[in-house]
Amino acid sequence: MCRIAGAPRTLLPLLAALLQASVEASDEIALCKTGFPEDVYSAVLPKDVHEGQPLLNVKFSNCNGKRKVQYESSEPADFKVDEDGMVYAVRSFPLSSERAKFLVYAQDKETQEKWQVAVKLSLQPTSTEESTQESHEIEEIVFPRQFAKHSGSLQRQKRDWVIPPINLPENSRGPFPQELVRIRSDRDKNLSLRYSVTGPGADQPPTGIFIINPISGQLSVTKPLDRELIARFHLRAHAVDINGNQVENPIDIVINVIDMNDNRPEFLHQVWNGTVPEGSKPGTYVMTVTAIDADDPNALNGMLRYRIVSQAPSTPSPNMFTINNETGDIITVAAGLDREKVQQYTLIIQATDMEGNPTYGLSNTATAVITVTDVNDNPPEFTAMTFYGEVPENRVDVIVANLTVTDKDQPHTPAWNAVYRISGGDPTGRFAIQTDPNSNDGLVTVVKPIDFETNRMFVLTVAAENQVPLAKGIQHPPQSTATVSVTVIDVNENPYFAPNPKIIRQEEGLHAGTMLTTFTAQDPDRYMQQNIRYTKLSDPANWLKIDPVNGQITTIAVLDRESPNVKNNIYNATFLASDNGIPPMSGTGTLQIYLLDINDNAPQVLPQEAETCETPDPNSINITALDYDIDPNAGPFAFDLPLSPVTIKRNWTITRLNGDFAQLNLKIKFLEAGIYEVPIIITDSGNPPKSNISILRVKVCQCDSNGDCTDVDRIVGAGLGTGAIIAILLCIIILLILVLMFVVWMKRRDKERQAKQLLIDPEDDVRDNILKYDEEGGGEEDQDYDLSQLQQPDTVEPDAIKPVGIRRLDERPIHAEPQYPVRSAAPHPGDIGDFINEGLKAADSDPTAPPYDSLLVFDYEGSGSTAGSLSSLNSSSSGGEQDYDYLNDWGPRFKKLADMYGGGDD
């Protein structure tokens, strides 16, 4: 059987006492069991133990979580156990070198079931020698024995040892490597074995933390451990022979890293912000601060407690707030929060581990800033009891008074914003109060016109309150009241006509000078002595005048209902009334004259032109009457033909169809085609009736079977009106002007074209040009030569059109012109040589050619010639011996000719 060498007393206290008898061999997982998970709890303490010092925590497994467990100590005079299993020292005492041992009991309050666990306290070593001495006391872990085969059958083997965990404190100072436990097998007596460990921390990352001596089986740690990185290591120990054959089943070794208080609490935020309404009652929740500790939260090292270190300012009480030491909740504990006095509090919060133990715990601080928020605990108050203002009458949207209030609440919040209302003195609603959003003042504004003659002064009662009601418990009244005295200023107002418009009824036809009515205006300013004068503002037909003093309206022309200025029998005229106030004011009034109709218009025939056939059948002419009067001075009408001339009644007859229409027909069987003027007597139904002889122009024409005119005289007979004739004449005149303008434009363009040809500078023209200069002769030495050939070809006049006997001496005799072969207008540039040779042969073969240079016409001369003058082409004579220097005196146009002929042999 193998033995396991245990750890030193400082690392694995009482390890041997934790080994239990083996149980049935099985790999089944144990179910949760209520009770203490360990049989013995141990702690290493200094020599001096102080009152209230936490010693260790005994954990109790409460599987269903419903048990209420009460802890007791077997030594109540020295130790007590808290509800969370923490063991404290009841009194201060020195811990002897001998290990102290006591029991802790856990009892269910309901079922009275009881459990117990042993607690052993070890004295912390004081010297290196003692530590070294204890380190040599190594516990052994022996591989469990296995039963071999017996009588050909495999015997049942016992369950492996359940190895208790090895507790190793973090941040150990060494020396390293530090021996933990020795692993051995009882077969090492007969075999040469090799030991090894596997798992995270050994051969898996992080590797090299734990090592084992393969010969002795000594397991050691090589460096300090950090529980915050890895809190537990799970290793497996192996034993093999020198050939690598497994001789023992692997055993599990669990190494728990014991937490040390090596981390301070850390707040999640260094500055915490919270708010609380002013006037809050004690116990009002404000905010929660939170800190975390990287140490074991289930041990004292990670159990935090909070407290308030300081409060600024300390008014009205230095303890306005408190904090729950476990949760970090901050609440109010005193009344008197007033934002108008203190708007913000700054608290220094401290978090301490070790359950807040100031001696052994580590601490950290943070700042909590608590802002006192405003509530409506102050109503607005008017700065004066009475406000004054004035407003001119008839003015609206005018600010007459500015109401000011004070409010101690936070500006621009509903608790500060004021709302104004008029509670009295304005029964007709002529005033309104608006709030200035910036200053919170009340602006009294006129919303309806005020008449000075009716109200000279208003005394308003106004009230101001906040947008939100006052907070409960506030003793102030919810609103403030004041009075506003408004004085109305009298101003000069417009005179006004009454009634406006004024309607009168008059018959048309009134003669000039007739007085129609009196149209006067009233002045609303009763307290001002003013005069009103009247003038005419609008009189479309210029029929009326008004007296400037008394407003009497008289006609200056005859009123005519049929005038185009009368609409629906009503004539409108507008008059102006002006006072002499400062400033002068005026008002307008409209006089509407309803004109009654009289029978002053005779009826007229309608239409005034008509057509009919030469025979009575099949057509007749339907006519009616046009009367500008209205009933009863219009229809029904009477239609008749006059007695003279006698041809009217002899040729025509008229028949009344009804009161408004009649029919005109031929009385004779045939009437020659033409235009006839037929007078018709029309009488209306007025009293007295009015008659009129109206002319009807009748076109008599040849008709077809349908009664339609067929002769062309219809167009002529219809005739052209004066307007049509004028339009035709205008069109003819415009056409003539356009033709004349076109002719002038063509002549001007020809002149411009000729001027452009003369404006070409010979110095700038690189071509050999021949210019025509009227009739200046050929010079003294060429009087016997014919120079007509030097003229431009397009300007040479044919001889046939010249009169006989009119010919210059230097012209050629009249002979028959030789017929030259016809050449193309634009030969190809490659045929230039042939083209010139053909022309030369034609000139030499011409019997009429004079023995001097002649101008030969070629259809194509190209863009420039390198042949020079044509004199070089087999001319029978040369002018080189002549003196052409005089050409230089004729101007720049002859300079090139002088250079060509006067330049010598060159």
Side-chain angles (χ1 to χ4, degrees), residues 786-789 791 793 795-808 810-818 848:
D786 182 11
L787 299 180
S788 62
Q789 298 297 328
Q791 297 179 353
T795 61
V796 175
E797 298 179 0
D799 297 336
I801 64 175
K802 289 186 178 182
V804 180
I806 302 178
R807 183 175 296 276
R808 288 174 37 171
D810 55 357
E811 291 184 359
R812 295 184 302 179
I814 298 176
H815 298 284
E817 295 293 338
T848 63

Short mmCIF file of all heavy atoms in Angstrom, two decimals, residues 786-789 791 793 795-808 810-818 848:
data_model
loop_
_atom_site.label_atom_id
_atom_site.label_comp_id
_atom_site.label_asym_id
_atom_site.label_seq_id
_atom_site.Cartn_x
_atom_site.Cartn_y
_atom_site.Cartn_z
N ASP A 786 -2.88 97.88 -128.30
CA ASP A 786 -4.26 97.67 -127.83
C ASP A 786 -4.22 97.18 -126.39
O ASP A 786 -3.80 96.04 -126.14
CB ASP A 786 -4.96 96.65 -128.73
CG ASP A 786 -6.41 96.45 -128.32
OD1 ASP A 786 -6.93 97.24 -127.49
OD2 ASP A 786 -7.02 95.49 -128.82
N LEU A 787 -4.59 98.05 -125.43
CA LEU A 787 -4.55 97.69 -123.98
C LEU A 787 -5.90 97.20 -123.47
O LEU A 787 -6.08 97.06 -122.26
CB LEU A 787 -4.11 98.90 -123.16
CG LEU A 787 -2.73 99.44 -123.47
CD1 LEU A 787 -2.41 100.63 -122.59
CD2 LEU A 787 -1.67 98.36 -123.29
N SER A 788 -6.79 96.99 -124.39
CA SER A 788 -8.11 96.53 -123.90
C SER A 788 -8.03 95.15 -123.28
O SER A 788 -8.87 94.76 -122.48
CB SER A 788 -9.13 96.53 -125.05
OG SER A 788 -8.72 95.61 -126.06
N GLN A 789 -6.95 94.39 -123.71
CA GLN A 789 -6.84 93.05 -123.14
C GLN A 789 -6.39 93.07 -121.69
O GLN A 789 -6.43 92.05 -121.02
CB GLN A 789 -5.86 92.22 -123.99
CG GLN A 789 -6.29 92.03 -125.41
CD GLN A 789 -7.58 91.26 -125.49
OE1 GLN A 789 -7.85 90.40 -124.66
NE2 GLN A 789 -8.41 91.53 -126.50
N GLN A 791 -7.77 94.71 -119.45
CA GLN A 791 -8.94 94.87 -118.58
C GLN A 791 -9.35 93.51 -118.03
O GLN A 791 -9.01 92.47 -118.58
CB GLN A 791 -10.10 95.49 -119.37
CG GLN A 791 -9.78 96.90 -119.86
CD GLN A 791 -10.94 97.47 -120.66
OE1 GLN A 791 -11.90 96.77 -120.93
NE2 GLN A 791 -10.82 98.72 -121.04
N PRO A 793 -11.40 90.34 -117.39
CA PRO A 793 -12.25 89.62 -118.36
C PRO A 793 -13.71 89.81 -118.08
O PRO A 793 -14.51 89.85 -119.01
CB PRO A 793 -11.83 88.16 -118.19
CG PRO A 793 -10.46 88.23 -117.61
CD PRO A 793 -10.41 89.45 -116.77
N THR A 795 -15.24 92.30 -117.08
CA THR A 795 -15.74 93.65 -117.33
C THR A 795 -15.55 94.10 -118.78
O THR A 795 -15.83 95.24 -119.13
CB THR A 795 -15.03 94.67 -116.41
OG1 THR A 795 -13.64 94.63 -116.68
CG2 THR A 795 -15.27 94.30 -114.95
N VAL A 796 -14.97 93.23 -119.62
CA VAL A 796 -14.77 93.59 -121.03
C VAL A 796 -16.11 93.65 -121.72
O VAL A 796 -16.90 92.67 -121.65
CB VAL A 796 -13.84 92.57 -121.72
CG1 VAL A 796 -13.73 92.89 -123.21
CG2 VAL A 796 -12.49 92.61 -121.06
N GLU A 797 -16.40 94.75 -122.35
CA GLU A 797 -17.68 94.89 -123.00
C GLU A 797 -17.62 94.29 -124.41
O GLU A 797 -16.63 94.49 -125.14
CB GLU A 797 -18.06 96.37 -123.11
CG GLU A 797 -18.21 97.05 -121.76
CD GLU A 797 -18.55 98.51 -121.92
OE1 GLU A 797 -18.66 98.93 -123.09
OE2 GLU A 797 -18.68 99.19 -120.89
N PRO A 798 -18.57 93.55 -124.81
CA PRO A 798 -18.56 93.02 -126.18
C PRO A 798 -18.65 94.15 -127.20
O PRO A 798 -19.31 95.16 -126.98
CB PRO A 798 -19.77 92.11 -126.21
CG PRO A 798 -20.66 92.62 -125.10
CD PRO A 798 -19.77 93.19 -124.05
N ASP A 799 -17.96 93.91 -128.32
CA ASP A 799 -17.92 94.95 -129.36
C ASP A 799 -19.28 95.20 -129.97
O ASP A 799 -19.53 96.25 -130.55
CB ASP A 799 -16.91 94.56 -130.45
CG ASP A 799 -15.50 94.49 -129.87
OD1 ASP A 799 -15.24 95.15 -128.84
OD2 ASP A 799 -14.68 93.76 -130.45
N ALA A 800 -20.10 94.20 -129.89
CA ALA A 800 -21.39 94.35 -130.58
C ALA A 800 -22.23 95.44 -129.98
O ALA A 800 -23.09 96.00 -130.63
CB ALA A 800 -22.13 93.02 -130.57
N ILE A 801 -21.99 95.75 -128.71
CA ILE A 801 -22.86 96.74 -128.07
C ILE A 801 -22.26 98.14 -128.10
O ILE A 801 -22.84 99.07 -127.57
CB ILE A 801 -23.13 96.32 -126.63
CG1 ILE A 801 -21.83 96.33 -125.82
CG2 ILE A 801 -23.79 94.95 -126.57
CD1 ILE A 801 -22.07 96.03 -124.35
N LYS A 802 -21.03 98.27 -128.65
CA LYS A 802 -20.42 99.59 -128.74
C LYS A 802 -20.90 100.27 -130.03
O LYS A 802 -20.96 99.65 -131.09
CB LYS A 802 -18.89 99.50 -128.76
CG LYS A 802 -18.31 99.07 -127.42
CD LYS A 802 -16.80 99.13 -127.46
CE LYS A 802 -16.22 98.75 -126.12
NZ LYS A 802 -14.74 98.83 -126.13
N PRO A 803 -21.16 101.52 -129.96
CA PRO A 803 -21.59 102.23 -131.20
C PRO A 803 -20.42 102.38 -132.19
O PRO A 803 -19.26 102.45 -131.78
CB PRO A 803 -22.09 103.57 -130.66
CG PRO A 803 -21.39 103.75 -129.34
CD PRO A 803 -21.22 102.38 -128.79
N VAL A 804 -20.80 102.40 -133.44
CA VAL A 804 -19.78 102.48 -134.50
C VAL A 804 -19.11 103.85 -134.44
O VAL A 804 -19.77 104.87 -134.27
CB VAL A 804 -20.42 102.24 -135.88
CG1 VAL A 804 -19.37 102.34 -136.98
CG2 VAL A 804 -21.11 100.90 -135.88
N GLY A 805 -17.79 103.82 -134.61
CA GLY A 805 -17.02 105.05 -134.63
C GLY A 805 -16.51 105.48 -133.28
O GLY A 805 -15.68 106.38 -133.20
N ILE A 806 -16.98 104.84 -132.22
CA ILE A 806 -16.50 105.19 -130.86
C ILE A 806 -15.56 104.09 -130.44
O ILE A 806 -15.96 103.04 -129.97
CB ILE A 806 -17.66 105.33 -129.88
CG1 ILE A 806 -18.66 106.37 -130.35
CG2 ILE A 806 -17.15 105.70 -128.50
CD1 ILE A 806 -19.87 106.54 -129.48
N ARG A 807 -14.28 104.27 -130.66
CA ARG A 807 -13.27 103.28 -130.31
C ARG A 807 -11.96 104.03 -130.14
O ARG A 807 -11.64 104.95 -130.88
CB ARG A 807 -13.14 102.22 -131.40
CG ARG A 807 -12.14 101.12 -131.05
CD ARG A 807 -12.15 100.04 -132.10
NE ARG A 807 -13.44 99.36 -132.17
CZ ARG A 807 -13.78 98.36 -131.36
NH1 ARG A 807 -12.96 97.94 -130.46
NH2 ARG A 807 -14.95 97.81 -131.50
N ARG A 808 -11.20 103.59 -129.16
CA ARG A 808 -9.91 104.23 -128.89
C ARG A 808 -8.89 103.78 -129.91
O ARG A 808 -9.01 102.74 -130.54
CB ARG A 808 -9.46 103.86 -127.47
CG ARG A 808 -10.28 104.57 -126.42
CD ARG A 808 -9.93 104.11 -125.04
NE ARG A 808 -8.50 103.85 -124.90
CZ ARG A 808 -7.91 103.59 -123.74
NH1 ARG A 808 -8.63 103.57 -122.66
NH2 ARG A 808 -6.61 103.37 -123.69
N ASP A 810 -5.88 102.83 -129.26
CA ASP A 810 -5.05 101.71 -128.83
C ASP A 810 -5.80 100.39 -128.82
O ASP A 810 -5.31 99.40 -128.35
CB ASP A 810 -4.47 101.97 -127.44
CG ASP A 810 -5.54 102.25 -126.43
OD1 ASP A 810 -6.72 102.31 -126.82
OD2 ASP A 810 -5.20 102.41 -125.22
N GLU A 811 -7.02 100.35 -129.31
CA GLU A 811 -7.77 99.11 -129.35
C GLU A 811 -7.41 98.35 -130.62
O GLU A 811 -6.98 98.92 -131.63
CB GLU A 811 -9.27 99.38 -129.33
CG GLU A 811 -9.75 99.93 -127.99
CD GLU A 811 -11.24 100.10 -128.01
OE1 GLU A 811 -11.86 99.80 -129.05
OE2 GLU A 811 -11.80 100.49 -126.95
N ARG A 812 -7.65 97.05 -130.53
CA ARG A 812 -7.38 96.20 -131.69
C ARG A 812 -8.39 96.48 -132.78
O ARG A 812 -9.53 96.84 -132.50
CB ARG A 812 -7.45 94.73 -131.30
CG ARG A 812 -6.39 94.29 -130.31
CD ARG A 812 -6.50 92.80 -130.07
NE ARG A 812 -7.83 92.45 -129.59
CZ ARG A 812 -8.21 91.22 -129.31
NH1 ARG A 812 -7.36 90.24 -129.51
NH2 ARG A 812 -9.41 90.96 -128.89
N PRO A 813 -8.00 96.23 -134.03
CA PRO A 813 -9.00 96.33 -135.11
C PRO A 813 -10.05 95.24 -134.92
O PRO A 813 -9.78 94.19 -134.30
CB PRO A 813 -8.18 96.11 -136.40
CG PRO A 813 -6.76 96.23 -135.99
CD PRO A 813 -6.66 95.98 -134.55
N ILE A 814 -11.18 95.51 -135.43
CA ILE A 814 -12.27 94.54 -135.28
C ILE A 814 -12.05 93.42 -136.29
O ILE A 814 -12.04 93.65 -137.50
CB ILE A 814 -13.63 95.20 -135.51
CG1 ILE A 814 -13.85 96.31 -134.46
CG2 ILE A 814 -14.73 94.17 -135.45
CD1 ILE A 814 -15.11 97.08 -134.66
N HIS A 815 -11.79 92.27 -135.83
CA HIS A 815 -11.65 91.07 -136.64
C HIS A 815 -12.44 89.95 -135.98
O HIS A 815 -12.83 90.04 -134.80
CB HIS A 815 -10.17 90.64 -136.78
CG HIS A 815 -9.32 91.68 -137.47
ND1 HIS A 815 -9.36 91.91 -138.84
CD2 HIS A 815 -8.40 92.56 -136.97
CE1 HIS A 815 -8.51 92.89 -139.16
NE2 HIS A 815 -7.92 93.30 -138.02
N ALA A 816 -12.60 88.94 -136.72
CA ALA A 816 -13.32 87.78 -136.15
C ALA A 816 -12.47 87.14 -135.06
O ALA A 816 -11.28 86.94 -135.23
CB ALA A 816 -13.62 86.77 -137.26
N GLU A 817 -13.11 86.90 -133.92
CA GLU A 817 -12.40 86.32 -132.79
C GLU A 817 -12.11 84.85 -133.09
O GLU A 817 -12.96 84.13 -133.62
CB GLU A 817 -13.24 86.41 -131.53
CG GLU A 817 -13.47 87.83 -131.06
CD GLU A 817 -12.21 88.50 -130.59
OE1 GLU A 817 -11.25 87.78 -130.23
OE2 GLU A 817 -12.16 89.75 -130.56
N PRO A 818 -10.86 84.43 -132.83
CA PRO A 818 -10.57 83.00 -133.03
C PRO A 818 -11.34 82.15 -132.03
O PRO A 818 -11.66 82.58 -130.92
CB PRO A 818 -9.07 82.92 -132.77
CG PRO A 818 -8.78 84.05 -131.83
CD PRO A 818 -9.72 85.17 -132.23
N THR A 848 -4.68 87.26 -135.84
CA THR A 848 -4.99 88.63 -135.46
C THR A 848 -4.23 89.08 -134.25
O THR A 848 -4.44 90.19 -133.76
CB THR A 848 -6.50 88.75 -135.16
OG1 THR A 848 -6.81 87.92 -134.05
CG2 THR A 848 -7.31 88.34 -136.37
#
